[in-house]
Amino acid sequence: MAEVRTAAAPVQPTGAAALNSNTLRRRRRIRHVRILSAYGLVLPAAGFYIFFVVRPIILSAQFSFYKWNGIGLAEWVGIDNYLEVFNNPKLVGSILNAFELIVYFSFIPVAIALLAANLIRAIATSKLAGVSRTVLFLPQVIPLVAAGIMWSWQLSVDGLVNQFLRVIGLGSITRAWLGDFNTALPAVGVIGAWVLVGLCLVLILAGMTKIDPALYEAARIDGAGAIREFFAITLPGVRQEVAVCVTVTVIAALASFDIIYISTQGGPGDSTLVPGLQIFYLAFYQREIGTASAFAIVLMALVLVVVLPLQRILRGKES
């Protein structure tokens, strides 16, 4: 007679095993709740970012393949707008102006901030250190529009700069600094450098606080001077902060708009014309939405091409 086998009933965990199973389920539930809560907190910011940053980039990329005046029907032109960006001397010239501004907006402020931060660190316990930090950071809190207007007055023919030059006997070199083809772009660069020094100073000072003071004591025991201490200890210690400063200031140079629009509006001629200002003119004055969108995409790609290698070089192995 055939033997009939019946399925065994599942064994229910009891005792410690049941307690561990309940604990694991409770922990999974808590973890899922925390994950959902985290997504809930991030979702509003992500929504704003997608709507105000990602969406305009996608629309600009779409418009860049059309010839459109912003009102009528759009006409598909393929990559013609991109060819116009690279073949138009005026547009290429604005890119070259932006690269020249990198010297004033980035290298000069970072160099001044390194020097000032090193001096302030040396007198950190005195009241002069706090006053110096405040004075040097003050331009950073001034609106760029106000800074542009103020410097336009100072650099005019009868401005404070020319008055000072006349007092010290250099009246022969006075001029309308923002109205001269040879000095307009450097003058705008000086304004940008003046604004950005404060930000670089604060970042570099913050980096200097994490350097172990014992390193400076050991260097002095070995007979190192101030210059040797700076290059052997201070500069390597603030490498990350310098990388951040260079990144921020290079982006400010390539995407500059406010100061130049207020002080020169791209003139005289096209001597201070930069990509941000040219995109504004193309879109809102000449009604060439497609070319403006293509130029905006090129500018975004240009910023990434310049900034990403700079970050890797400046941060070195730590990146």
Side-chain angles (χ1 to χ4, degrees), residues 2 15 38 41 46 48 66 72 104 134 158 191 236-237 241 250 257 259 280-281 297 304:
L41 293 173
F48 275 97
Y66 290 86
Y104 299 98
T134 303
D158 297 323
I191 301 173
E241 287 71 23
V250 166
F257 175 83
I259 293 175
F280 174 74
Y281 287 149
I297 297 298
L304 294 176

Side-chain angles (χ1 to χ4, degrees), residues 237-318:
V238 296
R239 187 171 184 170
Q240 294 289 322
E241 287 71 23
V242 170
V244 173
C245 290
V246 171
T247 300
V248 172
T249 52
V250 166
I251 293 174
L254 295 176
S256 56
F257 175 83
D258 315 63
I259 293 175
I260 297 176
Y261 182 74
I262 294 299
S263 58
T264 65
Q265 296 189 354
D270 297 328
S271 59
T272 60
L273 193 63
V274 290
L277 196 60
Q278 182 62 70
I279 291 168
F280 174 74
Y281 287 149
L282 284 171
F284 296 101
Y285 283 80
Q286 302 175 26
R287 295 290 183 180
E288 297 180 10
I289 306 299
T291 307
S293 299
F295 201 9
I297 297 298
V298 169
L299 178 60
M300 182 182 69
L302 188 65
V303 170
L304 294 176
V305 167
V306 173
V307 166
L308 293 181
L310 271 177
Q311 282 190 321
R312 190 168 187 84
I313 292 170
L314 291 172
R315 293 186 177 182
K317 295 180 180 180
E318 295 180 3

Side-chain angles (χ1 to χ4, degrees), residues 117-135:
N118 199 48
L119 293 175
I120 291 173
R121 183 192 62 80
I123 58 171
T125 57
S126 67
K127 294 182 179 180
L128 182 60
V131 174
S132 301
R133 283 194 296 266
T134 303
V135 170

Side-chain angles (χ1 to χ4, degrees), residues 9 30 33 76 96 164 173 221 225 230 251 261:
I30 293 173
V33 170
W76 173 266
L96 296 178
F164 175 75
I173 67 171
I221 293 173
F230 176 77
I251 293 174
Y261 182 74

Side-chain angles (χ1 to χ4, degrees), residues 84-115:
E84 172 69 15
V85 170
F86 292 106
N87 292 327
N88 190 325
K90 187 175 182 179
L91 303 186
V92 175
S94 67
I95 295 175
L96 296 178
N97 288 340
F99 273 102
E100 186 174 341
L101 283 179
I102 290 177
V103 176
Y104 299 98
F105 278 53
S106 183
F107 299 155
I108 292 177
V110 171
I112 294 175
L114 276 170
L115 178 61

Side-chain angles (χ1 to χ4, degrees), residues 3-319:
E3 182 180 355
V4 179
R5 297 182 179 180
T6 59
V11 178
Q12 297 294 333
T14 58
L19 183 60
N20 290 335
S21 177
N22 292 334
T23 302
L24 289 174
R25 283 197 297 268
R26 190 180 302 109
R27 288 178 178 175
R28 291 194 190 99
R29 191 180 305 113
I30 293 173
R31 186 171 68 246
H32 291 157
V33 170
R34 288 178 177 175
I35 291 173
L36 291 175
S37 301
Y39 279 116
L41 293 173
V42 171
L43 190 59
F48 275 97
Y49 182 81
I50 291 171
F51 187 81
F52 290 106
V53 177
V54 177
R55 178 175 169 271
I57 292 175
I58 295 174
L59 290 176
S60 296
Q62 177 186 353
F63 295 154
S64 67
F65 296 104
Y66 290 86
K67 182 179 180 181
W68 185 40
N69 62 3
I71 300 175
L73 295 176
E75 176 187 352
W76 173 266
V77 294
I79 63 172
D80 287 355
N81 290 325
Y82 290 95
L83 296 177
E84 172 69 15
V85 170
F86 292 106
N87 292 327
N88 190 325
K90 187 175 182 179
L91 303 186
V92 175
S94 67
I95 295 175
L96 296 178
N97 288 340
F99 273 102
E100 186 174 341
L101 283 179
I102 290 177
V103 176
Y104 299 98
F105 278 53
S106 183
F107 299 155
I108 292 177
V110 171
I112 294 175
L114 276 170
L115 178 61
N118 199 48
L119 293 175
I120 291 173
R121 183 192 62 80
I123 58 171
T125 57
S126 67
K127 294 182 179 180
L128 182 60
V131 174
S132 301
R133 283 194 296 266
T134 303
V135 170
L136 291 172
F137 186 74
L138 188 61
Q140 187 65 34
V141 301
I142 297 176
L144 292 179
V145 173
I149 294 172
M150 180 187 70
W151 275 98
S152 297
W153 294 342
Q154 306 304 325
L155 295 171
S156 64
V157 176
D158 297 323
L160 186 62
V161 173
N162 283 335
Q163 291 180 24
F164 175 75
L165 291 174
R166 293 189 187 101
V167 168
I168 63 175
L170 296 176
S172 59
I173 67 171
T174 59
R175 66 192 69 196
W177 297 96
L178 292 170
D180 190 289
F181 282 86
N182 296 320
T183 60
L185 192 62
V188 169
V190 168
I191 301 173
W194 177 78
V195 170
L196 292 170
V197 162
L199 175 63
C200 296
L201 175 69
V202 170
L203 291 174
I204 292 172
L205 278 174
M208 287 183 177
T209 59
K210 69 181 183 183
I211 300 176
D212 188 356
L215 295 176
Y216 292 103
E217 294 177 4
R220 293 189 192 100
I221 293 173
D222 291 339
I227 297 177
R228 182 66 182 274
E229 283 183 9
F230 176 77
F231 286 102
I233 300 174
T234 305
L235 196 55
V238 296
R239 187 171 184 170
Q240 294 289 322
E241 287 71 23
V242 170
V244 173
C245 290
V246 171
T247 300
V248 172
T249 52
V250 166
I251 293 174
L254 295 176
S256 56
F257 175 83
D258 315 63
I259 293 175
I260 297 176
Y261 182 74
I262 294 299
S263 58
T264 65
Q265 296 189 354
D270 297 328
S271 59
T272 60
L273 193 63
V274 290
L277 196 60
Q278 182 62 70
I279 291 168
F280 174 74
Y281 287 149
L282 284 171
F284 296 101
Y285 283 80
Q286 302 175 26
R287 295 290 183 180
E288 297 180 10
I289 306 299
T291 307
S293 299
F295 201 9
I297 297 298
V298 169
L299 178 60
M300 182 182 69
L302 188 65
V303 170
L304 294 176
V305 167
V306 173
V307 166
L308 293 181
L310 271 177
Q311 282 190 321
R312 190 168 187 84
I313 292 170
L314 291 172
R315 293 186 177 182
K317 295 180 180 180
E318 295 180 3
S319 63

